[in-house]
Amino acid sequence: MKIPFNRPFLTGKETRYIEEAVASGKISGDGMFTQKCHQFFEEKFNFGKALLTTSCTDALEMAALLINVQPGDEIIMPSYTFVSTANAFVLRGAKIIFADSSAENPNIDAHKIEALITPKTKAIVPVHYAGVACNMEEILDLSKHFKLFVIEDAAQAIDSYFNGKPLGGLGDLGAFSFHETKNVIAGEGGLLAINNPKFMQRSEIIREKGTNRSAFFRGEVDKYGWVDIGSSFLPSEVIAAFLFAQLENLEKIQKKRRQIWDRYQEGLQHLADKGIVRLPFIPDYASNNAHMFYLVFEKMEQRTKVINALKAKGILAVFHYLSLHKSKYFGSQYNGEELKWSDHYTECLLRLPMFYDLTTDEVDLIIDTINQTIDAKVLV
Ligand SMILES: *Cc1c(COP(=O)(O)O)cnc(C)c1O
């Protein structure tokens, strides 16, 4: 492919910091670079506590352990999301209750949540799709009223905000990803933001194989041992070193992505004005961290034609998220209620290439190819 969908990138000191980590004599977890990353998130986004994990999937699994999900507990989340959002809770025996996306964007439709709450409901898991905030005011109101936990899947939402408040910092817990397709990358990597003080101590233990090793290293206990259930959720210093170099350049990364995003919007807005496609919708309460630029067509065949036209020019645009309620794994358990918007995004949403090193010329070629395809009236 001439223009891939994604390409990993360096911002400056990544390899130098990895060498420094090795030279320090410690590349297992929770060394100097991990501490620097934790501090960065706690200071910049005011998270109660930040813990690096090896993926967002792991951070979500930690969240499921922390809220003590028991078999039969119900967890409400959108169907239009990545499998990990659901799997983390399914692993603990939870029953997943899928809610539809909203008409205006793929985020969970907050108005549809209340009807799904039962005495067994334990948590709501909003996913900030494309880094655009869900309606957190409504979700937090519901959680207070019905005494539910809120776990934000903020995998795509670094440096994005709801009414000025950092995403991942609003719920009891928030999970981030540094997978190579996200804004800030470490190959694989993640972070759990712990905002509810009740989870702070136990989160360290669960992340360290169920031991109180973190407290031991701080000198708070004189030996460490097995005190709870847990697993190994912490990344090595090699990953933390790479990540910290990226975090130091967060502003530069976000600015660059914003420029790409704005250029896409300028070049494609006329299609939305004519009602041919929809562009990302960002509510007044939400910021745009330029994680993703997508188009929503009216029909699947239109999307297929545009994908093929782009492919013919060597450009890879992709779609994603088969509604989880219709997946091979979950399908037979689903109660059959239609989730219209979730299915619509499954069939009609297309993501355009979006990565730090994408050049202006490349963006223009993508825009021109889409415009030419649509001018050729292939969509009718
Ligand atoms: C990327 C992503 C994940 C998984 O992140 P990993 O770090 O790859 O485990 C989970 N949820 C959403 C919404 C994502 O976009």
Side-chain angles (χ1 to χ4, degrees):
M1 280 288 159
K2 213 158 59 184
I3 307 180
F5 173 68
N6 180 60
R7 193 188 288 138
F9 60 96
L10 297 169
T11 59
K13 295 185 182 154
E14 284 86 348
T15 51
R16 199 174 106 198
Y17 284 170
I18 289 173
E19 283 174 20
E20 270 181 37
V22 176
S24 79
K26 174 185 163 75
I27 56 168
S28 58
D30 278 342
M32 179 187 76
F33 284 106
T34 300
Q35 296 313 321
K36 282 178 184 285
C37 292
H38 289 173
Q39 207 176 358
F40 179 92
F41 281 95
E42 286 163 10
E43 282 170 10
K44 177 155 177 71
F45 302 116
N46 218 12
F47 298 152
K49 182 180 181 71
L51 288 176
L52 286 193
T53 57
T54 50
S55 64
C56 177
T57 302
D58 269 359
L60 290 164
E61 284 178 29
M62 278 184 67
L65 287 165
L66 282 167
I67 67 166
N68 246 330
V69 173
Q70 298 298 311
D73 285 349
E74 296 178 356
I75 312 287
I76 298 173
M77 65 180 63
S79 174
Y80 189 76
T81 183
F82 190 60
V83 286
S84 295
T85 319
N87 248 337
F89 299 92
V90 168
L91 280 170
R92 315 305 323 154
K95 182 171 171 205
I96 308 298
I97 306 296
F98 289 118
D100 205 359
S101 294
S102 83
E104 56 196 22
N105 70 24
N107 281 340
I108 192 167
D109 184 342
H111 304 305
K112 295 200 183 125
I113 295 175
E114 187 167 352
L116 301 174
I117 295 172
T118 75
K120 287 185 172 167
T121 308
K122 185 132 204 185
I124 306 170
V125 187
V127 179
H128 304 299
Y129 184 80
V132 175
C134 295
N135 188 337
M136 290 307 289
E137 194 177 328
E138 267 185 51
I139 292 170
L140 291 171
D141 279 352
L142 284 171
S143 75
K144 276 191 204 97
H145 188 261
F146 292 97
K147 299 196 166 45
L148 308 174
F149 293 114
V150 173
I151 296 159
E152 299 175 73
D153 182 337
Q156 307 175 3
I158 190 170
D159 194 27
S160 204
Y161 302 82
F162 173 83
N163 283 336
K165 294 183 196 129
L167 299 183
L170 293 147
D172 297 280
L173 299 158
F176 290 88
S177 174
F178 310 117
H179 182 263
E180 68 169 6
T181 51
K182 306 301 203 262
N183 288 30
V184 168
I185 66 173
E188 303 278 354
L191 177 115
L192 184 66
I194 299 115
N195 307 308
N196 183 337
K198 153 175 165 178
F199 297 129
M200 287 185 188
Q201 198 187 0
R202 193 167 179 235
S203 61
E204 286 183 349
I205 292 168
I206 283 176
R207 178 169 166 272
E208 266 283 18
K209 299 99 177 160
T211 72
N212 53 353
R213 186 155 144 184
S214 301
F216 172 73
F217 280 141
R218 283 195 302 265
E220 292 164 16
V221 291
D222 58 9
K223 55 182 181 299
Y224 81 87
W226 188 10
V227 296
D228 200 340
I229 56 170
S231 190
S232 186
F233 291 117
L234 74 170
S236 88
E237 278 287 287
V238 176
I239 285 174
F242 190 104
L243 179 65
F244 187 64
Q246 295 248 324
L247 292 174
E248 281 185 327
N249 287 301
L250 179 63
E251 263 178 51
K252 192 168 88 177
I253 294 170
Q254 301 296 69
K255 191 164 162 235
K256 189 80 188 295
R257 291 185 78 102
R258 241 337 250 276
Q259 285 165 353
I260 296 167
W261 201 98
D262 289 345
R263 200 166 182 93
Y264 271 136
Q265 192 190 29
E266 261 169 52
L268 298 168
Q269 182 63 42
H270 71 106
L271 296 174
D273 296 341
K274 290 177 207 143
I276 298 171
V277 297
R278 289 199 285 142
L279 302 186
F281 174 78
I282 298 160
D284 287 341
Y285 54 67
S287 66
N288 177 17
N289 72 346
H291 172 61
M292 197 191 294
F293 197 91
Y294 63 82
L295 306 173
V296 183
F297 294 91
E298 239 168 70
K299 296 192 200 111
M300 182 153 64
E301 308 84 72
Q302 300 173 329
R303 177 176 76 177
T304 308
K305 284 177 181 163
V306 171
I307 291 175
N308 291 339
L310 289 165
K311 208 172 267 171
K313 291 251 173 92
I315 300 160
L316 186 62
V318 301
F319 56 85
H320 67 166
Y321 300 159
L322 172 69
S323 289
L324 293 182
H325 70 286
K326 289 191 172 167
S327 61
K328 183 170 176 216
Y329 176 75
F330 195 83
S332 60
Q333 300 169 51
Y334 192 63
N335 67 13
E337 201 175 309
E338 198 194 5
L339 301 180
K340 173 180 151 184
W341 287 108
S342 179
D343 290 343
H344 183 66
Y345 296 119
T346 294
E347 291 176 358
C348 300
L349 184 145
L350 182 65
R351 303 172 66 184
L352 301 181
M354 174 62 111
F355 50 88
Y356 180 77
D357 285 330
L358 191 65
T359 66
T360 304
D361 285 350
E362 288 174 320
V363 175
D364 290 345
L365 178 66
I366 297 164
I367 293 170
D368 290 346
T369 306
I370 293 170
N371 283 331
Q372 283 160 17
T373 310
I374 287 169
D375 280 348
K377 302 235 182 303
V378 294
L379 296 196
V380 290

